[in-house]
């Protein structure tokens, strides 16, 4: 749910094989044309508003979805209700409040600018209703939803090419919001993007909490 793009959907399709079924959902299904197949179905679905898809699933996965949904408790109930008995729910959400910096080693003005823009990004997310400490609550939320065999871990890269690509894409996507909210200027964003693409910055990410539980 909240697939966002075809990568996870395709990965799941490879795992279930030709006799399996994968349903990818999102509010925006513009990516669907590249994913639909004999195994993959795509459907528009608002996890915080719509009823769960019928049929029951062996696995339900949502990544970076619930942190943005205003009624997270209802959304979680929808995810659990989509499971068949014995099915497993895997939730993945970042926890920006747990580790707020993008440059852990703030050793110069470029790193300081990166961290300032990251603070502005968190402020923008919070103003839109995101819970910046939601990731750490996932194990408890799964237990309270009635799931068993709950486990969780966190992934926290400090620097990698993927971190660099993610930062550049994120900043470009939220650029308009930062500028219109007065949280950053175009010149600051241009400078930061140039710093990012130079490869000189060690860019981290917020810890990604992955928690799973089984429906009895």
């Amino acid at each position: 749910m909240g697939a966002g793009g075809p990568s996870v959907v395709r990965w799941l399709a490879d795992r279930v094989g030709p006799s399996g079924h994968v349903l990818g959902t999102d509010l925006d299904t513009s990516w669907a044309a590249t994913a639909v197949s004999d195994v993959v179905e795509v459907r528009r679905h608002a996890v915080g508003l719509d009823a769960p898809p019928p049929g029951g699933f062996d696995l339900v996965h949502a990544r970076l979805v619930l942190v943005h949904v205003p009624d997270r408790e209802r959304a979680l109930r929808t995810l659990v209700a989509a499971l068949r008995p014995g099915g497993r729910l895997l939730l993945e959400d970042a926890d920006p409040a747990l580790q707020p910096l993008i440059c852990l080693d703030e050793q110069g003005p470029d790193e300081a600018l990166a961290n300032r823009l990251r603070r502005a990004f968190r402020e923008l997310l919070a103003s839109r209703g995101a819970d910046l400490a939601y990731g750490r609550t996932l194990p408890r939320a799964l237990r309270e939803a009635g799931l068993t065999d709950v486990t969780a871990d966190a992934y926290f890269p400090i620097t990698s090419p993927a971190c660099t690509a993610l930062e550049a894409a994120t900043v470009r996507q939220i650029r308009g919001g930062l500028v219109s909210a007065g949280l950053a200027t175009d010149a600051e964003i241009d400078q930061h993007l140039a710093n990012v693409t130079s490869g000189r910055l060690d860019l981290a990410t917020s810890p990604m909490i992955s928690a799973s539980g089984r429906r009895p």
Side-chain angles (χ1 to χ4, degrees), residues 113-124:
L113 174 61
N115 284 336
R116 185 156 60 82
L117 290 181
R118 181 49 57 102
R119 288 193 293 271
F121 177 38
R122 294 201 312 276
E123 186 175 336
L124 184 65

Side-chain angles (χ1 to χ4, degrees), residues 12 21 24 32 40 44 70 91 96 99 102-103 107 116-117 139 150 159 172 177 185 190 200 203:
L12 289 171
H21 174 246
V40 175
R44 189 181 186 279
L91 295 182
Q99 195 294 103
I102 189 168
C103 289
Q107 55 90 27
R116 185 156 60 82
L117 290 181
V150 173
T159 186
R172 291 189 179 102
T185 66
D190 286 339
R200 296 189 306 268
L203 299 173

Side-chain angles (χ1 to χ4, degrees), residues 6-135:
S7 59
V8 173
V9 170
R10 287 173 173 163
W11 184 89
L12 289 171
D14 288 341
R15 297 308 183 276
V16 302
S19 62
H21 174 246
V22 177
L23 171 64
T25 73
D26 209 326
L27 286 174
D28 178 5
T29 58
S30 59
W31 52 272
T34 63
V36 174
S37 68
D38 292 340
V39 173
V40 175
E41 175 190 359
V42 175
R43 187 182 305 174
R44 189 181 186 279
H45 183 269
V47 68
L49 299 173
D50 298 338
F57 293 85
D58 296 307
L59 171 69
V60 173
H61 173 257
R63 182 175 187 179
L64 296 174
V65 174
L66 295 194
V67 68
H68 299 290
V69 177
D71 193 347
R72 296 179 188 90
E73 292 185 4
R74 178 176 178 178
L76 180 55
R77 290 196 299 271
T78 297
L79 295 171
V80 171
L83 292 168
R84 68 166 180 82
R88 184 164 288 274
L89 173 61
L90 171 61
L91 295 182
E92 300 182 285
D93 266 303
D95 195 314
L98 192 62
Q99 195 294 103
L101 301 177
I102 189 168
C103 289
L104 303 184
D105 180 21
E106 190 177 308
Q107 55 90 27
D110 293 344
E111 289 81 5
L113 174 61
N115 284 336
R116 185 156 60 82
L117 290 181
R118 181 49 57 102
R119 288 193 293 271
F121 177 38
R122 294 201 312 276
E123 186 175 336
L124 184 65
L125 286 177
S127 71
R128 296 176 176 178
D131 182 353
L132 302 182
Y134 185 64

